[in-house]
């Protein structure tokens, strides 16, 4: 599975909750050396299927930039 597809599936799995980039990376088991998910979530956010905004992450409860499936 491609990385964008993995991210897409991970966010969809947590829908309708929003998740931050860090928790996406951790949830997918990506190391710090791996491609950062920010680029992927940024691309997903340009589609009609996803919304990226400031809010609370459902996993780490942090208030930061999060993405959710619309
Ligand atoms: Zn988080």
């Amino acid at each position: 599975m491609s990385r964008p597809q993995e991210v897409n599936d991970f966010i969809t799995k947590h829908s309708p909750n929003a998740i931050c980039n860090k928790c996406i990376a951790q949830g997918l088991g990506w190391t710090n050396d791996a491609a950062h998910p920010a680029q992927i979530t940024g691309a997903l956010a340009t589609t009609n299927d996803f919304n990226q905004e400031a809010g609370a992450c459902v996993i780490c409860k942090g208030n930061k930039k999060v993405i959710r499936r619309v």
Side-chain angles (χ1 to χ4, degrees), residues 18-24 57-62 64 66:
I19 320 172
C20 72
N21 290 328
K22 187 170 153 239
C23 290
I24 292 171
C57 169
V58 71
I59 297 176
C60 67
K61 314 296 184 196
K64 50 182 80 172
V66 292

Side-chain angles (χ1 to χ4, degrees), residues 1 3-15 17 19-29 50 59:
M1 202 178 346
R3 286 186 181 277
Q5 188 61 53
E6 281 185 79
V7 173
N8 190 322
D9 286 354
F10 190 77
I11 299 167
T12 301
K13 199 170 72 180
H14 288 82
S15 175
N17 297 306
I19 320 172
C20 72
N21 290 328
K22 187 170 153 239
C23 290
I24 292 171
Q26 286 183 347
L28 294 174
F50 296 91
I59 297 176

